[in-house]
Amino acid sequence: KNEVEQSPQNLTAQEGEFITINCSYSVGISALHWLQQHPGGGIVSLFMLSSGKKKHGRLIATINIQEKHSSLHITASHPRDSAVYICAVRKVDNTDKLIFGTGTRLQVFP
Amino acid sequence: NAGVMQNPRHLVRRRGQEARLRCSPMKGHSHVYWYRQLPEEGLKFMVYLQKENIIDESGMPKERFSAEFPKEGPSILRIQQVVRGDSAAYFCASSPAMGQSYGYTFGSGTRLTVV
């Protein structure tokens, strides 16, 4: 079983819809990252969380340390949000490397 | 302030050739991480380097792969005698220091195709 699991694997939405992507992990972590990857493109770091909630524009990320769960929300989705969203965790073992989920492929249609 | 620069963006090699992938971290960042993304798979850690030191290479295949981060110049990921299974996207990330307070900046990746 992967240490980081994301759901759903694939997600389609109509423009304007509210979107939620979930991430569960089974290890102790010091931080959780949400990343965005466009097809054939590089990786952009969206959020780094160790507790609570962060907001940037239409994106909101939350984390519940006790439940080992994080969510990424996109409000008023737009076709340009179409990308793969990846959850990654930094384990508390001080190895300073990230463990990645397999990603959620989001397509937003106009 | 340029971000993490990786080159080349695309690299085609014949089986048995060598591949050299370069990563210049963000200005002021002395920690470099290499990750590999195989087709239809998630990202996997390969190696973590600081200037002139390999800190963690637990994700590196035992043979044919090596990495360095010299005092001057970019970090280099070197793959000798490439095979088809090495075809993947290789991403580099950098951070200013170790520790949970510091985020990562990723490069655009090098897409290696072995023919």
Side-chain angles (χ1 to χ4, degrees):
Chain A
K1 190 177 187 295
N2 292 335
E3 293 173 307
V4 181
E5 297 275 0
Q6 284 186 239
S7 64
Q9 278 191 301
N10 295 285
L11 184 55
T12 58
Q14 287 294 127
E15 184 173 356
E17 285 185 5
F18 180 83
I19 286 160
T20 296
I21 299 170
N22 296 300
C23 175
S24 297
Y25 51 92
S26 57
V27 295
I29 70 168
S30 58
L32 182 143
H33 297 253
W34 281 102
L35 310 169
Q36 180 192 56
Q37 184 177 25
H38 284 281
I43 295 171
V44 174
S45 181
L46 299 174
F47 294 104
M48 182 176 73
L49 293 160
S50 53
S51 65
K53 176 179 173 177
K54 285 191 177 179
K55 184 176 190 290
H56 182 70
R58 295 180 295 105
L59 302 177
I60 302 165
T62 64
I63 188 168
N64 185 319
I65 297 294
Q66 287 73 32
E67 294 186 6
K68 295 189 173 180
H69 181 268
S70 176
S71 293
L72 176 69
H73 305 285
I74 305 175
T75 61
S77 59
H78 190 275
R80 65 174 175 266
D81 297 326
S82 299
V84 176
Y85 292 85
I86 303 168
C87 171
V89 302
R90 191 184 223 149
K91 291 168 73 170
V92 291
D93 60 3
N94 291 321
T95 57
D96 215 45
K97 61 192 180 204
L98 293 176
I99 310 296
F100 297 86
T102 51
T104 294
R105 188 176 303 273
L106 170 66
Q107 282 188 293
V108 182
F109 293 99
Chain B
N1 182 20
V4 176
M5 304 300 291
Q6 286 189 251
N7 66 80
R9 288 294 300 275
H10 299 275
L11 182 61
V12 179
R13 284 285 176 268
R14 294 189 183 280
R15 279 179 295 172
Q17 290 185 320
E18 178 180 286
R20 280 186 178 238
L21 288 62
R22 294 175 195 77
C23 169
S24 295
M26 277 191 73
K27 190 176 179 182
H29 286 195
S30 57
H31 296 238
V32 165
Y33 311 80
W34 285 93
Y35 296 93
R36 178 166 67 172
Q37 188 176 41
L38 291 165
E40 304 304 318
E41 290 189 24
L43 287 145
K44 297 280 194 301
F45 169 79
M46 298 184 77
V47 63
Y48 163 33
L49 309 109
Q50 293 177 29
K51 286 280 187 184
E52 300 183 281
N53 283 309
I54 296 174
I55 306 303
D56 180 352
E57 56 181 346
S58 58
M60 289 279 269
K62 294 283 186 283
E63 295 174 350
R64 303 186 297 108
F65 284 71
S66 63
E68 62 175 5
F69 188 15
K71 189 176 179 182
E72 301 290 338
S75 175
I76 306 283
L77 179 67
R78 183 176 174 217
I79 311 172
Q80 294 178 291
Q81 299 175 319
V82 296
V83 301
R84 288 242 169 92
D86 297 333
S87 296
Y90 293 82
F91 288 94
C92 167
S94 72
S95 73
M98 184 177 175
Q100 69 175 76
S101 302
Y102 299 98
Y104 300 91
T105 303
F106 284 82
S108 299
T110 293
R111 277 143 187 91
L112 171 66
T113 303
V114 180
V115 296

